[in-house]
Amino acid sequence: MKDRKSYIEENKDRFLEELFDLIRIPSVSAKEENKGDMLKAAEYLKKSLMEAGADNAEIYTTEGHPVLVGEKIIDKSLPTVLVYGHYDVQPAEPFELWNTDPFEPVVKDGKIWARGADDDKGQLFMHVKAFEYMVRTENLPCNVKFMIEGEEEIGSESLSKFLDGHKDLLKADVILVSDTTMIAPEIPSITTGLRGLSYMQVELTGPNRDLHSGLYGGAVGNPCNILCKMIASLTNEKNQVTIPGFFNDVLISSDKERAEMAKRPYNEEKYKKSIDVDALMGEESYSTHERLGIRPSLDVNGIWGGYTDEGAKTILPAKAYAKISMRLVPDQDSGKIAKLFEEHFKSIAPEGVRVKVEYLHGGQAYVSPIDSTEYLAASMAMEEAFGKKPIPVRSGGSIPIISNFEKTLGIKSILMGFGLDEDAIHSPNENYPLFNFFKGIETIPLFYKYYAESS
Ligand code: BES
Ligand code: MN
Ligand code: MN
């Protein structure tokens, strides 16, 4: 596969232009107004797959956003790699914090700046281009399928249902995903774990209307005050979650595993500096990467209620709300955790407020072994491309559909991501280094090669 680098070099401007056209489609899955853009993005990728050399690619409509499945079958007796990715992106708001238009990609300082530049359009497109390379240079060593969805950022409900009815269509030996990070451009890593998620919304209702805070304040329970107290009590002074039963199913890592994890390169000063905080905070007795990788967490994502507009308005609000998510680890079950949360949250509400708890979405955690054929293939591919053996790491993020792939399709996933923590995914000024984009295209064909050789 000597000509991998020269193929990339000769085509790199075209690769970027094509990616930029995909990025220009504002496929924000959370917004009704972008419904048409979801189909446009799926159609764009269908065209990309066909041009790259797929035998066929089909868009499946769902109750939500379309799912795209494409394939190239060269020999039924050979193994099949199923590539998963998502064409949907997070909302770009707040727009005023972007230095450039989020849906008009620009290259500056060696990086692509745009919503979706990394998560996941940039990372997904590396696979389309690696596939193109393998087809056009006759270096494709096995069968390939693509499964690309548009609801990852909102819970993957449609793809979840789709899996059940399309087990044959999606039959494969391994699922290959680039939607995670690596430690640094010069320190490759492979993600061996993802956290699960239970995402809740709570609503507290007090009086039947916003009241004058002079006439009523001090005499009537204030939903905003009460919500703050309730939320504050969800973690204790050791920063442990206090919901009864929350830790029951948490698998405890052995001292050996923890010692192994501690070897990962990590500079705490740099980490703090990158997010501009002078101290870190988390569960007592655990290191930063343990807190992220092997321990669950609870965070308020948003909290609102009462008057938040200009100036002062003296009211005692009728309602208060919060969105609260819990990141989970094996073997916590997201449905069970959601139930424990609801029961507990209702039980700690004082008289005088009514509480509504809603489960918005979630999914299970995922772990993958480091001695499987696919892990070793990914490891060899990265080692050859980066000149360094990748380090296995448990990530704090979630891709809930990955555990469904295992449960419904019976296929393990390999998480070979090329993003960086500092790419600002989900934030203003999301970016993706050109180095990572092209290195990804260079690495992926090596995965196919080593995987096909060893299976
Ligand atoms: N690609 C991310 C997840 C990710 C990023 C995992 C970096 C590991 C490292 C994915 O698009 C994402 O944002 N997932 C959501 C979950 C979803 C249910 C909204 C998340 O983790 O918040
Ligand atoms: Mn993603
Ligand atoms: Mn995301």
Side-chain angles (χ1 to χ4, degrees), residues 386-453:
F386 289 83
K388 239 183 242 171
K389 205 184 171 98
I391 300 170
V393 291
R394 300 268 295 258
S395 172
S398 309
I399 313 175
I401 195 73
I402 300 290
S403 61
N404 287 18
F405 293 156
E406 184 168 19
K407 203 172 119 211
T408 311
L409 303 175
I411 315 174
K412 280 293 230 185
S413 295
I414 187 84
L415 304 161
M416 191 170 72
F418 296 89
L420 301 173
D421 280 348
E422 60 263 32
D423 291 350
I425 63 171
H426 296 207
S427 307
N429 303 309
E430 176 176 351
N431 61 86
Y432 192 39
L434 293 172
F435 172 84
N436 298 50
F437 178 68
F438 292 119
K439 204 62 166 174
I441 302 175
E442 196 187 314
T443 309
I444 291 162
L446 294 170
F447 172 84
Y448 282 75
K449 178 182 147 205
Y450 290 121
Y451 184 69
E453 276 174 15

Side-chain angles (χ1 to χ4, degrees), residues 79 173-174 190 369-381 412 414 446-455:
D173 299 282
V174 65
I190 296 173
I370 55 167
D371 55 4
S372 62
T373 311
E374 55 267 26
Y375 183 89
L376 296 173
S379 180
M380 286 191 280
K412 280 293 230 185
I414 187 84
L446 294 170
F447 172 84
Y448 282 75
K449 178 182 147 205
Y450 290 121
Y451 184 69
E453 276 174 15
S454 56
S455 14

Side-chain angles (χ1 to χ4, degrees), residues 49-50 53-58 69-72:
L49 286 179
M50 292 307 290
D55 301 332
N56 56 69
E58 198 158 341
V69 180
E71 64 176 23
K72 183 167 189 72

